[in-house]
């Protein structure tokens, strides 16, 4: 056996101490052999463990082998910080072992290793202990690399008392100033909160600053400098608390006034609040600095900061004309603030200090205020701007935002193009194939094969063998099938449930009817997917029989999924001329894709068709198809092992799995697939719902039914899955009335934790509002249900509605608010949902003058009295509505 065989055996046993004892006995040649084998063995270990996390329990043995055999300090540092040997989730504590292995090397080599390691460390790296020990042993100048500083901060935190540890640590003087610069320190210390606890960095630094061991001015300068370099609230939390613990005096703040001013416009809220507090504590602030501060604060989104600014303004406005001028500008800006609470406070300040303020800019800005606040200032209505002047209003134009564009693919017209597309799929079987591209391939395969079957067979015979062929042949539980399914459908579809598998089988059947086996048709499917796959199965059956029709009826002619009625008529005429009837699923899909408005001339021509399919299509074109289904929505939860409905009683405090159920009531069409689509989707909630991005194209004229099928798949509890927002874009491009199911889906995305997701959902809302298609009352009603059920955060949705109002959708927003309020207003003794006052205030801004809408329960809230903002806003809205 070679030296490597012995070392490898110990590594595989996870015997790090045995590896360390062995490698120190090896000669130079044996060490070179072991060092050369280590990288490959690390790959084998990770492959064996089948884990992205690293080498697991083998890590310490592998680290010991590298430290004892690799020749250069640079290479040892690279090995010890290698991905897979650090951050694996296992506890790695091998400092003593590694220190013994590298301790036999020359002192200069050890110093170089310390320097190299310090430059490569990352947060949580187990090599920090070795690095620090080598630095102390060799006396090398302490490195200031971010990773080493973060490791040092974590190590000090692990001691008993931070102040004692820092006092005794020779690295402290060099590294302490670096904690304000190194990325990652704030994250390590973000949870510290007690400045009196000597075991914390906050307590330790506060104590050392009090004794003079640490320079207090350096700490304050470091905190302010860290604020100016920016970061998130969590990254800066420790430094905010340190600054608060040091509690600088006005004399310490005064030299840094300009720095504190620079923090007000855009620093995270806690930092800006800290800066404002210290500026307000100064005896005086120069008028120019005061003007800069209040101007920046008036445009902050945090109402707390704006209110604090108004209080400062209230105290300063009488200090002189320059202060009064700054106050005038700030109050004028506050009149346009999103918060009606801020508006009201600004109005009352303007009235209180009217003698010191410039009336002209305030009167002009006041025209944007609601009528009750304008009255406090004695400002008359201005027809051009006053939303309360009936018949004289100049409304904000509502311009629909552009939804993400979808390109309609050009048809395939030659056999060479068809073969090239299938060859591309063969070479890249994991590529995404959308529903429009699938329809394009199906149409070309049918039409070109019918026109010249020999040419198509010759062209498609060149398509290479692919993973798709193996997937169709092999059983559903093979590794190859699972790999493909994981990419095409995260919920693990079987082969027979995937449209691409059926399309690929049809293509191979055109070349050789007996060559491919047909995929097994799945037992359970959602209704939209059943229609999709029935069409695919018909295509495979026709290809295997060598009997493909001249044309498919249902191939769409627009990105919405509709088929142009004139084109559908031409296809039906072509089939009748050939003495053919369309296949069943293709006909039903074509009927569902007929637009809601058909030219009378086309409908009249369709009435001349004589085949059974033609007569049926003619009735649908003439408007004699089934009426629109009626969709309703209910919400349920799990209590123990039972499903219960929210609307049947207050749920217990501890319930789980809230979900939405949709119900569809429709008159039978006498067509099995269409009737299945128009039944309650909840009946097959447990069935797989993949390929949901195809569904809007299945029923482009009945989009509320599509929304009903989507609704059971939203994850309202954890938001880890659900139909993508792009599906709402597809429904916005489609046609037909929208109702509660779509409204609930829209609210799901307006409740997105990601602001970008909420903005994209707002674009859908505005696009529908501009088109006159927004089901605003349903949106409000479902919002009320979802907030009342605890499934949606009102304070996350209301800002998007306020944005819609500013974009010109005020009328629609009012109807949403009016429908939502009765369901979210608290009963006596109940806690109101967070953000309710903002929703009522939005109603104040959007309620039309002389309107007739009555909001049940609102007067009761207004009559409660007290100073809460909810009650004040309710009273304002009550005054605007009919008794």
């Amino acid at each position: 056996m070679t030296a490597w065989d012995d070392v490898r055996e110990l590594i595989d046993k996870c015997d790090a101490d045995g590896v360390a004892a062995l490698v120190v006995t090896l000669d130079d040649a044996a060490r070179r052999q072991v060092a050369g084998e280590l990288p490959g063995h690390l790959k084998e270990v990770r492959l064996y463990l089948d884990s992205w996390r690293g080498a697991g329990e083998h890590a310490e043995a592998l680290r010991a082998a590298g430290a004892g055999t690799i020749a250069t300090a640079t290479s040892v540092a690279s090995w010890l910080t290698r991905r897979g040997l650090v951050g694996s989730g296992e506890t790695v504590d091998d400092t003593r072992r590694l220190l013994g292995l590298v301790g036999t090397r020359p002192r200069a080599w050890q110093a170089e290793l310390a320097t190299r390691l310090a430059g490569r460390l990352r947060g949580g790296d187990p090599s920090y202990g070795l690095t620090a020990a080598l630095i102390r042993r060799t006396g090398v100048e302490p490195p200031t690399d971010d990773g080493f500083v973060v490791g040092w901060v974590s190590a000090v935190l692990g001691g008993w008392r931070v102040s004692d540890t820092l006092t005794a640590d020779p690295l402290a003087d060099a590294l302490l100033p670096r904690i304000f610069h190194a990325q990652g320190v704030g994250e390590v210390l973000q949870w510290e909160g007690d400045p009196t606890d000597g075991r914390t960095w906050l307590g330790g630094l506060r104590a050392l600053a009090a004794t003079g061991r640490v320079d207090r001015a350096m700490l304050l300068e470091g905190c302010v400098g860290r604020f100016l370099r920016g970061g998130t609230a969590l990254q800066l939390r420790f430094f905010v608390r340190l600054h608060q613990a040091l509690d600088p005096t006005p004399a310490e703040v005064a030299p840094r006034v300009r720095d504190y001013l620079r923090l007000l416009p855009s620093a995270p809220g806690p930092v800006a609040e800290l800066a404002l507090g210290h500026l307000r504590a100064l005896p005086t602030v120069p008028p120019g600095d005061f003007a800069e501060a209040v101007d920046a604060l008036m445009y902050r989104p945090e109402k707390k900061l704006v209110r604090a600014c108004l209080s400062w303004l209230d105290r300063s406005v009488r200090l002189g004309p320059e202060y009064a001028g700054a106050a005038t500008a700030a109050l004028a800006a506050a009149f346009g603030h999103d918060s009606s609470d801020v508006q009201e406070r600004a109005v009352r300040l303007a009235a209180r200090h009217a003698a010191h303020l410039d009336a002209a800019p305030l009167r002009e800005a006041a025209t944007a205020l609601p009528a009750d606040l304008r009255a406090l200032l004695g400002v008359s209505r201005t027809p051009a701007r006053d939303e309360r002047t009936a018949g004289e209003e100049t409304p904000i134009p509502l311009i629909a935002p552009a939804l993400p564009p979808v390109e309609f693919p050009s048809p395939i017209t030659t056999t060479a193009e068809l073969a090239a597309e299938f060859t591309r799929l063969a070479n890249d079987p994991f590529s995404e194939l959308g529903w429009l591209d699938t329809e394009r391939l199906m149409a070309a395969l049918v039409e070109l094969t019918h026109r010249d079957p020999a040419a198509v067979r010759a062209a498609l015979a060149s398509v290479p063998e692919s993973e798709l062929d193996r997937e169709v042949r092999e059983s559903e539980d093979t590794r190859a099938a699972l790999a493909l399914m994981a990419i095409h459908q995260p919920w693990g579809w079987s082969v027979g449930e995937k449209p691409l598998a059926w399309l690929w089988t049809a293509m191979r059947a055109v070349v050789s009817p007996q060559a491919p086996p047909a995929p097994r048709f799945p037992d359970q499917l959602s209704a939209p997917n059943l229609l999709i796959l029935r069409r695919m199965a018909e295509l495979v059956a026709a290809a295997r029989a060598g009997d493909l029709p001249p044309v498919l009826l249902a191939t769409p002619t627009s990105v919405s999924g509709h088929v142009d009625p004139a084109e559908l008529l031409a296809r039906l005429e072509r089939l009748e001329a050939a003495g053919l009837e369309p296949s069943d699923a293709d006909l039903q899909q074509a009927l569902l894709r007929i637009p809601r408005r058909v030219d009378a001339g086309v409908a009249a021509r369709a009435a001349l068709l004589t085949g059974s399919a033609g007569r049926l299509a003619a009735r649908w074109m003439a408007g004699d198809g089934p009426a629109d289904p009626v969709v309703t929505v209910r919400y349920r939860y799990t209590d123990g092992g039972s499903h219960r409905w929210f609307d049947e009683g207050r749920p217990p405090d501890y319930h789980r799995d809230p979900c939405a159920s949709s119900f569809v009531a429709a008159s039978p069409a006498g067509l099995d697939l269409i009737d299945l689509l128009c039944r309650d989707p909840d009946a097959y909630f447990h069935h797989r719902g993949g390929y949901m991005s195809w569904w809007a194209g299945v029923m482009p004229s009945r989009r509320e039914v599509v929304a009903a099928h989507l609704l059971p798949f939203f994850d309202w509890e954890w938001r880890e899955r659900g139909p993508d927002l792009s599906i709402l874009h597809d429904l916005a491009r489609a046609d037909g009335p929208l109702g509660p199911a779509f409204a609930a889906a829209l609210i799901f995305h307006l409740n997105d934790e990601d602001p970008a997701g909420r903005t994209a959902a707002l674009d859908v809302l505005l696009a529908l509002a501009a088109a006159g298609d927004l089901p605003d009352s349903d949106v409000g009603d479902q919002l009320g249900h979802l907030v009342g059920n605890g499934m949606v955060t009102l304070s996350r949705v209301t800002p998007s509605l306020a944005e819609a109002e500013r974009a010109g959708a005020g009328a629609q927003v009012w109807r949403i608010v009016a429908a939502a309020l009765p369901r979210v207003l608290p009963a006596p003794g109940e806690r109101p949902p967070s953000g309710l006052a903002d929703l009522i205030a939005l109603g104040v801004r959007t309620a039309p003058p002389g309107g007739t809408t009555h909001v049940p329960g609102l007067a009761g809230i207004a009559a409660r009295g007290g100073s809460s903002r909810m009650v004040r806003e309710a009273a304002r809205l009550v005054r605007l509505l009919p008794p």
Side-chain angles (χ1 to χ4, degrees), residues 532-832:
I532 292 168
L533 294 185
R534 278 272 294 271
R535 284 186 73 213
M536 294 286 186
E538 289 175 349
L539 184 64
V540 170
R544 291 173 70 88
D547 191 26
L548 286 172
V551 67
L552 291 175
L553 280 188
T555 303
T557 57
S558 71
V559 295
S560 67
H562 286 106
V563 179
D564 179 78
E567 174 61 25
L568 177 58
L569 175 59
R571 294 171 185 173
L572 286 163
E573 290 173 338
R574 184 177 175 187
L575 288 176
E576 287 198 0
L580 300 173
E581 288 284 338
S583 58
D584 183 54
D586 191 41
L587 171 61
Q588 294 190 53
Q589 177 63 93
L591 295 175
L592 291 172
R593 286 176 170 168
I594 294 175
R596 298 178 71 84
R597 289 164 292 279
V598 177
D599 179 78
V602 174
R605 283 177 51 205
L608 301 177
L609 295 169
T610 57
S612 59
R615 293 195 302 273
L616 179 60
R619 289 198 299 272
W620 280 59
M621 289 188 192
D624 293 335
D628 288 320
V630 176
V631 176
T632 55
V633 173
R634 293 180 73 189
Y635 299 94
R636 69 185 185 190
Y637 61 92
T638 300
D639 179 16
S642 303
H643 294 301
R644 304 188 186 279
W645 299 104
F646 278 101
D647 56 15
E648 291 182 347
R650 184 182 180 87
D653 291 338
Y654 299 101
H655 61 275
R656 59 187 177 86
D657 301 332
C659 64
S661 299
S662 47
F663 301 90
V664 181
S667 301
L671 300 164
D672 61 338
L673 295 172
I674 292 177
D675 287 339
L676 187 62
L677 282 163
C678 295
R679 77 169 194 186
D680 297 345
D682 204 43
Y684 54 80
F685 173 76
H686 62 288
H687 298 188
R688 294 180 175 92
Y691 290 92
M692 288 180 282
S693 62
W694 296 41
W695 291 5
V698 171
M699 301 184 76
S701 292
R702 289 169 174 77
R703 51 187 173 178
E704 175 67 3
V705 179
V706 176
H709 284 278
L710 294 169
L711 202 56
F713 297 97
F714 283 101
D715 180 2
W716 295 93
E717 184 167 24
W718 302 108
R719 302 187 60 82
E720 293 179 350
R721 62 173 176 82
D724 190 76
L725 181 62
S726 63
I727 302 176
L728 296 195
H729 295 157
D730 295 336
L731 293 177
R733 297 185 189 96
D735 202 358
L738 291 169
F742 178 86
L746 179 62
I747 293 167
F748 179 90
H749 288 288
L750 288 172
N751 188 51
D752 197 329
E753 293 180 356
D754 182 4
R758 296 198 295 271
T759 299
L762 175 60
D763 286 345
V764 174
L765 184 153
L766 290 173
L768 290 169
D773 292 341
L774 181 68
D776 33 45
S777 295
D778 284 313
V779 173
D781 188 53
Q782 297 307 311
L783 177 61
H785 279 294
L786 290 163
V787 171
N789 298 342
M791 298 165 68
V792 160
T793 304
L794 181 60
S795 57
R796 194 179 289 154
V797 177
T798 302
S800 294
L801 298 178
E803 284 291 329
E805 183 261 334
R806 286 190 289 273
Q812 292 88 345
V813 169
W814 163 244
R815 289 190 286 270
I816 292 173
V817 172
L821 281 177
R823 298 195 179 279
V824 297
L825 294 174
E830 284 187 349
R831 184 183 181 90

Side-chain angles (χ1 to χ4, degrees), residues 814 817-822 825 852-860 877-878 881-882:
W814 163 244
V817 172
L821 281 177
L825 294 174
T852 59
T853 303
H854 176 63
V855 179
L858 186 66
L877 184 53
V878 164
L881 298 179

Side-chain angles (χ1 to χ4, degrees), residues 340 344 370 372-373 844 872-880:
S340 59
E344 183 176 356
D372 58 336
L373 296 182
V844 172
R872 296 201 314 272
E873 298 293 355
R876 294 177 63 196
L877 184 53
V878 164
R879 290 194 293 269
L880 296 170

Side-chain angles (χ1 to χ4, degrees), residues 413-448:
T413 58
T414 67
T415 55
E417 286 181 80
L418 183 64
E421 286 295 320
F422 278 109
T423 299
R424 180 184 64 79
L425 285 175
N427 294 329
D428 186 13
F430 303 110
S431 63
E432 183 69 25
L433 189 67
W435 71 274
L436 281 172
D437 291 321
T438 302
E439 291 278 4
R440 170 176 176 256
L441 279 170
M442 291 170 61
L445 183 66
V446 166
E447 294 182 35
L448 293 176

Side-chain angles (χ1 to χ4, degrees), residues 421-431 460-474 480-481 484 488 500-501 504-505 507-508:
E421 286 295 320
F422 278 109
T423 299
R424 180 184 64 79
L425 285 175
N427 294 329
D428 186 13
F430 303 110
S431 63
L460 295 181
S462 65
V463 176
E465 177 83 1
S466 162
E467 186 74 28
L468 293 164
D469 293 288
R470 288 188 290 276
E471 183 188 41
V472 171
R473 284 196 302 265
E474 295 175 358
L484 191 60
H488 278 287
L500 182 56
W504 195 260
T505 303
M507 181 272 294
R508 290 301 193 198

